[in-house]
Amino acid sequence: MKWMSILLLLLVGIASFWLVRNSRATTESPEYEILFKDGKIEVREYPELRLATTVTRGSGKNGSFMTLFRFIDGGNSAYQKIAMTSPVLMEAGAEQTTMSFIVPKATAEAGVPEPTSDQVTIRALAANRFVVLRFSRRGTQAADEEAALSALRAWVEAQGLTVDGSPLFAYYDPPWTPLFMRRNEVMLRLPPEQELPSRDS
């Protein structure tokens, strides 16, 4: 029976890998240019993005996700279905925490329909440089996020860089994705006039 368990685990792993790879290949993500790379840390330049954003209250992340999902599922002035993109963005500011879906490029260019819910707002995320660290889930989400943010801030300080605003957390994969396969990133904005490190990795 032991070989049956091993075979089952192998099949589950292969299926999970295929589903995650297929999901990433078919889901639109924003384009960016990598300006600098040091191991798992990248400095990226992003164009302006249009976001559909809602405020999260307490630990209500699932409620926030469904609020945004209803908007892309036709809860807008055009009753338009809007494609899901990745990543989902979370930003914890001084006064509130927000969750955002990135509007697909074609929809943004054609004009984003107005949300029917007053809990959803459409806003622009200006073109920015971000320093980004990709991380995996190994423990609790909060602990992993804090560890990744601390590591990224330590790297920024060691490089003599400064950052603007609150950190962004980016989540690329659906909830059924095994923890070790999930793509998670923490992002810090860099002032555009700031000089980048001169060395390459």
Side-chain angles (χ1 to χ4, degrees):
M1 294 298 292
K2 184 177 181 180
W3 69 268
M4 287 290 290
S5 298
I6 295 173
L7 179 61
L8 180 60
L9 287 173
L10 180 61
L11 290 174
V12 169
I14 293 172
S16 297
F17 176 80
W18 184 87
L19 287 170
V20 171
R21 184 175 181 180
N22 186 62
S23 175
R24 290 178 182 170
T26 57
T27 303
E28 180 181 323
S29 295
E31 297 177 352
Y32 56 81
E33 179 184 358
I34 299 175
L35 304 177
F36 179 84
K37 185 175 176 66
D38 182 10
K40 294 183 178 180
I41 293 175
E42 295 177 345
V43 176
R44 303 175 185 166
E45 190 158 63
Y46 283 85
E48 179 180 285
L49 302 174
R50 300 293 288 180
L51 305 181
T53 299
T54 190
V55 176
T56 65
R57 293 172 175 83
S59 58
K61 292 183 180 179
N62 290 336
S64 299
F65 185 93
M66 289 309 301
T67 297
L68 294 172
F69 183 80
R70 284 190 288 270
F71 163 71
I72 67 171
D73 196 41
N76 54 69
S77 58
Y79 305 103
Q80 177 182 343
K81 299 275 188 177
I82 300 172
M84 183 71 193
T85 61
S86 68
V88 175
L89 301 176
M90 296 284 297
E91 182 172 13
E95 299 181 357
Q96 62 186 21
T97 299
T98 62
M99 176 184 286
S100 299
F101 286 179
I102 300 170
V103 176
K105 185 177 180 180
T107 304
E109 290 175 349
V112 186
E114 288 295 319
T116 54
S117 171
D118 60 5
Q119 296 180 34
V120 179
T121 58
I122 305 300
R123 64 186 181 94
L125 178 62
N128 271 290
R129 285 183 178 180
F130 286 91
V131 56
V132 182
L133 171 62
R134 181 171 174 172
F135 65 97
S136 300
R137 286 282 308 279
R138 292 185 174 84
T140 66
Q141 180 171 324
D144 291 335
E145 290 173 348
E146 184 59 36
L149 179 57
S150 295
L152 185 58
R153 282 179 166 158
W155 184 89
V156 166
E157 183 177 352
Q159 301 298 322
L161 301 175
T162 59
V163 298
D164 286 337
S166 305
L168 277 172
F169 285 92
Y171 307 97
Y172 283 80
D173 300 305
W176 47 259
T177 307
L179 292 183
F180 69 94
M181 294 183 69
R182 293 185 187 180
R183 179 180 176 181
N184 311 299
E185 295 177 343
V186 57
M187 311 171 67
L188 294 170
R189 296 176 183 85
L190 296 174
E193 69 280 0
Q194 186 167 217
E195 288 190 18
L196 300 179
S198 58
R199 65 184 176 83
D200 293 322
S201 60

